[in-house]
Amino acid sequence: MHYGRVESEADRPANANRHLPVPVGRGRPSAPATTEAPLTLGVEEEYLLVDPVTREVSPQGQKVVAQASSSGLGDRVGTELTCYQVEARTEPHTVVRELGEQIRSMRAVVADAAGRQGLRVVSSGSPVLGQSVPPPISDGTRYAQSVATFRALDDEQTACACHIHVGIADLGRALQVSNHLRPWLPALISLTANSPYWNGRDTGYASWRVMTLARWPVSGPPPYFESPAHFHDLVGRAIEVGAVMDRGGLYWDIRPSSHVPTLEIRVADATATAEETVLFSAIIRAMVATSLTAIDAAQPAPRPQPELLRAACWRAARDGLAGQSVDLPTSRLVPAAARVDRLLTWIRPALRAYGDLGLVRSGWSRLRAVGNGADRQRAAHQRRHSLPDVVDHLIAATTPTPTPTCR
């Protein structure tokens, strides 16, 4: 999938912004008030399949993928590591509204395909009920290689994420943006945490998915990269010692994509609603645009101590949006919502320039009122102390329209 066309050096005007891909989209985007072309956005969402009677996860991923592919998604839908999961992908967009339309349509197609197998779809960072350990693994050479290499680490990889791709063709620019984004990873975890339950129990964390990934040898906050040469050297050494299979196996929360000209932000749990994915996408694009402005102005990226940044991500995964967050400049605990407020203040000019300020303000206001995905899962459980109620809540949130009956 291409999230932006890569131009050659000869194609670019002398004053062009080299990090920006060619705009894609049906409508006329609200571009920043500069000569820059809009940054493209693409989304990958991972879903879990559940039985509507038992509410347990169901290992029918390959059948659902085949049905969804033939129903219009084509190669924009695929399997994931476990048979409980399905991944779907959007095309690149410059207009957030159009991105949202495709996300909702994509979810509806996957839900219909699941319905034909007597199943339902949920968008959650972790399974609530029924996961077996080890899980059933999808067919494929790469999945088999992963299990052979990482062994029991794959036992808890029934974990679903929301990945945002922003079009940046130049690796050096992408790595500089990564440096500017990484101090904000804890705030993004707090905002998008949606995996409090794991296999029938409340973990006590807002995002247990973040904790399952933290065990992997190349995961979590990315390093501060000095240059593309530093990136290539570090990745090459990780491959050489077997810590990753290849560039596609880097599990850092931010990484340059190995197959498309984008920077991929991978920190978020699978979001319960399409509206939250749209909100998160708009925030991420504004963060990238704000970082590029800082880079062009020769502003250095903040460089928190790696140990403190990792601790801040742990705290965000535990407390989510309702608890405390580490203020990295001061190392003090502050309300998690206050850190998100600070993030939105930082990116406000970019949000306004893209025409996304109202969308983000209203989306953030709603999350402050009703809580993030983890808060809402726990609220669904609290009403009757019922885990099946949590699954029903997720089914309704993932595809708000009624799921088609079995055929």
Side-chain angles (χ1 to χ4, degrees):
M1 179 189 310
H2 298 286
Y3 285 108
R5 178 172 70 85
V6 184
E7 298 174 325
S8 69
E9 293 294 330
D11 290 334
R12 297 188 180 101
N15 64 346
N17 290 277
R18 295 170 50 191
H19 60 277
L20 293 165
V22 172
V24 180
R26 290 182 282 112
R28 184 179 181 85
S30 299
T34 69
T35 59
E36 297 181 358
L39 291 162
T40 56
L41 280 171
V43 173
E44 297 173 345
E45 290 195 314
E46 296 167 350
Y47 313 118
L48 292 166
L49 302 172
V50 298
D51 184 297
V53 177
T54 67
R55 276 71 158 206
E56 296 183 353
V57 286
S58 177
Q60 303 299 320
Q62 291 171 167
K63 292 180 181 179
V64 172
V65 165
Q67 179 64 53
S69 178
S70 66
S71 297
L73 289 185
D75 62 1
R76 292 198 295 110
V77 64
T79 58
E80 257 299 323
L81 176 71
T82 80
C83 296
Y84 300 131
Q85 297 165 282
V86 173
E87 180 187 85
R89 302 171 287 275
T90 73
E91 296 168 330
H93 291 269
T94 55
V95 182
V96 167
R97 175 182 53 79
E98 293 178 359
L99 176 69
E101 291 172 359
Q102 188 165 65
I103 290 168
R104 284 183 282 272
S105 173
M106 182 172 78
R107 288 184 174 210
V109 172
V110 174
D112 179 74
R116 292 170 184 262
Q117 301 297 325
L119 303 174
R120 301 294 181 263
V121 174
V122 301
S123 186
S124 172
S126 60
V128 178
L129 290 170
Q131 180 188 226
S132 60
V133 177
I137 301 298
S138 300
D139 294 339
T141 302
R142 185 170 182 83
Y143 298 139
Q145 184 183 0
S146 176
V147 173
T149 303
F150 299 110
R151 305 170 188 182
L153 280 181
D154 277 328
D155 286 357
E156 291 193 0
Q157 287 312 294
T158 311
C160 294
C162 175
H163 298 163
I164 310 297
H165 288 258
V166 183
I168 305 179
D170 182 83
L171 176 62
R173 300 279 278 174
L175 295 174
Q176 288 180 293
V177 171
S178 175
N179 291 342
H180 280 264
L181 296 187
R182 59 198 287 273
W184 293 105
L185 286 170
L188 296 178
I189 292 171
S190 297
L191 185 70
T192 60
N194 187 36
S195 53
Y197 296 99
W198 185 271
N199 202 21
R201 69 173 290 233
D202 190 328
T203 64
Y205 282 75
S207 177
W208 188 243
R209 171 190 156 273
V210 166
M211 302 315 300
T212 64
L213 289 175
R215 303 174 184 177
W216 286 69
V218 181
S219 64
Y224 183 101
F225 293 112
E226 303 289 351
S227 65
H230 177 211
F231 171 80
H232 286 305
D233 179 67
L234 185 57
V235 173
R237 289 174 185 268
I239 293 171
E240 184 178 352
V241 301
V244 294
M245 295 188 293
D246 50 38
R247 256 191 69 176
L250 298 172
Y251 281 0
W252 285 319
D253 294 333
I254 309 168
R255 71 178 186 187
S257 173
S258 62
H259 62 287
V260 289
T262 66
L263 186 67
E264 182 182 3
I265 291 80
R266 305 166 46 86
V267 70
D269 286 353
T271 59
T273 67
E275 289 70 27
E276 285 169 284
T277 300
V278 172
L279 170 66
F280 184 55
S281 300
I283 289 172
I284 291 298
R285 179 167 65 176
M287 292 175 70
V288 172
T290 302
S291 298
L292 288 167
T293 298
I295 291 164
D296 290 339
Q299 297 174 10
R303 198 164 180 172
Q305 294 179 328
E307 297 82 3
L308 188 59
L309 177 56
R310 184 177 176 87
C313 289
W314 164 80
R315 184 76 191 218
R318 195 193 76 171
D319 284 14
L321 199 54
Q324 299 291 301
S325 181
V326 179
D327 180 62
L328 288 170
T330 64
S331 303
R332 295 174 181 167
L333 289 176
V334 298
R339 285 294 294 163
V340 176
D341 280 333
R342 187 174 299 180
L343 166 62
L344 298 185
T345 297
W346 179 55
I347 64 174
R348 183 181 295 135
L351 289 172
R352 182 180 292 111
Y354 272 103
D356 295 334
L357 182 59
L359 178 149
V360 170
R361 278 179 170 169
S362 62
W364 172 226
S365 177
R366 179 180 182 277
L367 287 186
R368 293 197 77 155
V370 302
N372 62 14
D375 296 327
R376 300 197 308 274
Q377 285 196 43
R378 287 188 170 121
H381 178 265
Q382 184 64 29
R383 285 190 284 271
R384 297 194 306 172
H385 302 284
S386 166
L387 288 175
D389 283 0
V390 177
V391 179
D392 290 344
H393 155 76
L394 288 167
I395 292 170
T398 302
T399 49
T401 55
T403 309
T405 57
C406 308
R407 299 183 184 180

